[in-house]
Amino acid sequence: MLSGKHIIVGITGGIAAYKAAVLVRLLVRRGAEVQVLMTKAAKEFITPLTMATLSKRPILVENFNPENGAWNSHIDLGCWADAMIIAPATANTLAKMAGGIGDSLLLTTYLSARCPIAVAPAMDLDMMAHPATTQNLQTLAQRGVAIIEAESGELASGLSGKGRMAEPECIVEFIEGWIGRAQTLAGKRALVTAGATIEAIDPVRYITNHSTGKMGYAIASELAARGAEVKLISGRTQLACPKGVERIDVTSADEMYDACVAEWSKCDIGVMCAAVADYTPAEVSTTKIKKSDDDMCIRLRRTRDIAAELGANKGERILVGFALETDNEQANAESKLVRKNLDFVVMNSMQDKGACFGGDTNKISIITKEGTESFPLESKTQAAARIADKIENIITK
Ligand code: CTP
């Protein structure tokens, strides 16, 4: 599945560097072309000769060859790669990546790479649990770096805990699922809405909701990984744009409506995941509203329903909506299916633990005219894959 893929393996200076030899061997066996980059510290743990022999190419450490001045261009490397995986990634390298420091070829390549990037951290348990490391990993994850979690067990120090680099077989399995994906949606154009809209009351206050955009971003990422050309119309969120996705930022429900309507005629698939305000202030004060001793009332007007508008002009396209309900879940979701002319509704209930705003998990049911399929509590990435599978089923029907 990795045949012809260009993969950079970055090795940093930790005892788990010996496992990088197996990792490179497995990648080469699966048909990948591997370029190894090592930090100077990594050379103390595993020899360049070993890595060059296994990868079938000279490894690179410095920005240039001190003997003849030959330049190792981090830009060219970044453009060449289909993926970059840093394994093992030490606490030091993770901190530099999070801080944007480029004091090695490995780091400047990371900073200039356009491809998906993953790290497999490896360190002693206390370094792993240190707030600085935790925060650096969070920062990298928010910027779209995939984290291949360290495992728990006996560590080189003799202590036991979380910090062992994931086994090379697990890393390869991850890479295959990540970049070796079948391009089942190649040639399809998808529109995904995500995040919360913001409705201004005056220049200082606004009305919004708790949506973080995680589910919509996971769907955009999943569709792009399957080869679709994805436009993500995004309301407020803290998330980085997934690799391979084009994001259009909007603020209000009206702006999201206009952006979606403008794109719809060019699309084959629409997934309406945004938490769009159903009401917006009828008048927006241009100056800050001053308080008085009286109660106050804000008159709200209905916003236009994006999903319903796209549904009314659906043609042969596939349109998916969401229903987040607190009660009467099935009936409410079924009514949205019909009212908005959707192919299916992804329903989640606020009654279910772990299926609410902000978390990394969801518990979804997919509702079509034919019936309902319910799934267990799982990661939003897994839920996104189920939604993409359902879209593919409808396309191939
Ligand atoms: N939606 C939309 N445009 C709106 C409002 C909602 O596209 N102005 C989409 C959402 O992205 C979601 C679905 O419609 O896919 C949610 O349906 P909706 O009936 O609006 O649900 P609620 O906002 O929860 O409203 P209700 O009070 O009817 O439950």
Side-chain angles (χ1 to χ4, degrees):
M1 282 221 305
L2 295 175
S3 176
K5 294 282 183 198
H6 295 171
I7 299 177
I8 292 177
V9 175
I11 308 176
T12 68
I15 189 69
Y18 79 92
K19 290 188 187 173
V22 182
L23 172 63
V24 167
R25 190 148 182 253
L26 292 174
L27 291 173
V28 170
R29 272 209 196 140
R30 280 164 171 74
E33 286 185 45
V34 178
Q35 175 63 62
V36 173
L37 306 186
M38 295 173 79
T39 60
K40 282 184 196 156
K43 286 163 57 187
E44 305 292 333
F45 290 91
I46 186 151
T47 71
L49 178 60
T50 303
M51 297 315 305
T53 309
L54 292 172
S55 64
K56 305 182 198 299
R57 302 168 168 250
I59 63 115
L60 302 172
V61 179
E62 308 277 359
N63 286 303
F64 63 92
N65 182 336
E67 298 295 318
N68 60 16
W71 179 244
N72 297 322
S73 168
H74 54 95
I75 311 281
D76 290 350
L77 283 164
C79 291
W80 173 84
D82 294 309
M84 178 173 186
I85 162 94
I86 301 170
T90 58
N92 185 43
T93 291
L94 293 171
K96 287 180 179 175
M97 289 169 74
I101 294 170
D103 65 358
S104 67
L105 179 64
L106 188 150
L107 286 163
T108 49
T109 304
Y110 157 68
L111 287 170
S112 40
R114 294 177 176 178
C115 60
I117 293 166
V119 291
M123 62 199 77
D124 211 45
L125 75 160
D126 295 309
M127 295 172 79
M128 190 80 220
H130 196 283
T133 308
T134 311
Q135 201 171 357
N136 289 332
L137 282 168
Q138 264 171 14
T139 302
L140 293 174
Q142 273 165 6
R143 292 183 193 150
V145 173
I147 315 289
I148 305 172
E149 289 288 333
E151 293 167 3
S152 291
E154 196 185 326
L155 301 165
S157 61
L159 298 174
S160 196
K162 186 174 175 184
R164 285 167 64 95
M165 187 175 95
E167 292 304 321
E169 291 76 8
C170 298
I171 298 178
V172 171
E173 206 175 295
F174 172 85
I175 295 173
E176 280 180 333
W178 184 51
I179 60 157
R181 306 288 295 277
Q183 299 294 286
T184 38
L185 292 174
K188 300 286 178 203
R189 285 191 286 199
L191 172 69
V192 179
T193 66
T197 62
I198 291 184
E199 310 302 322
I201 298 170
D202 70 10
V204 182
R205 290 86 165 203
Y206 56 78
I207 299 171
T208 190
N209 58 68
H210 292 297
S211 171
T212 56
K214 283 185 181 173
M215 193 64 237
Y217 273 54
I219 293 168
S221 174
E222 182 67 27
L223 297 177
R226 296 181 187 210
E229 195 184 304
V230 182
K231 285 238 165 87
L232 176 61
I233 315 275
S234 178
R236 189 207 51 195
T237 161
Q238 302 290 322
L239 303 171
C241 183
K243 295 270 178 204
V245 169
E246 188 188 330
R247 184 168 83 179
I248 300 172
D249 289 317
V250 294
T251 305
S252 64
D254 279 348
E255 280 177 34
M256 188 172 273
Y257 179 97
D258 291 340
C260 289
V261 168
E263 292 298 329
W264 189 225
S265 63
K266 299 173 239 160
C267 294
D268 307 290
I269 301 161
V271 184
M272 305 287 100
C273 199
V276 188
D278 290 323
Y279 293 90
T280 192
E283 290 98 30
V284 182
S285 173
T286 52
T287 52
K288 186 181 168 197
I289 300 169
K290 303 305 280 182
K291 62 178 165 297
S292 71
D293 289 337
D294 297 330
D295 290 345
M296 82 168 287
C297 187
I298 300 171
R299 201 164 63 83
L300 302 175
R301 69 164 167 82
R302 273 300 305 269
T303 56
R304 294 168 293 176
D305 192 314
I306 305 165
E309 173 62 24
L310 304 194
N313 297 289
K314 193 163 92 68
E316 296 300 301
R317 300 179 193 86
I318 294 172
L319 185 61
V320 180
F322 271 72
L324 171 63
E325 306 293 342
T326 55
D327 57 304
N328 251 336
E329 291 90 342
Q330 186 78 22
N332 285 334
E334 281 174 5
S335 130
K336 281 169 202 176
L337 182 73
V338 178
R339 264 193 288 130
K340 305 193 188 206
N341 193 23
L342 305 170
D343 289 276
F344 64 92
V345 172
V346 180
M347 182 189 81
N348 47 1
S349 170
M350 286 189 69
Q351 309 272 14
D352 288 325
K353 272 213 173 86
C356 205
F357 294 116
D360 291 318
T361 53
N362 206 351
K363 187 172 184 309
I364 61 164
S365 295
I366 292 184
I367 300 174
T368 60
K369 284 195 189 102
E370 286 77 43
T372 301
E373 275 176 283
S374 294
F375 300 100
L377 183 69
E378 56 195 358
S379 71
K380 286 188 172 165
T381 312
Q382 285 168 315
R386 297 206 188 269
I387 294 162
D389 285 348
K390 186 75 192 172
I391 291 171
E392 276 184 27
N393 284 346
I394 297 174
I395 291 174
T396 51
K397 233 193 222 166

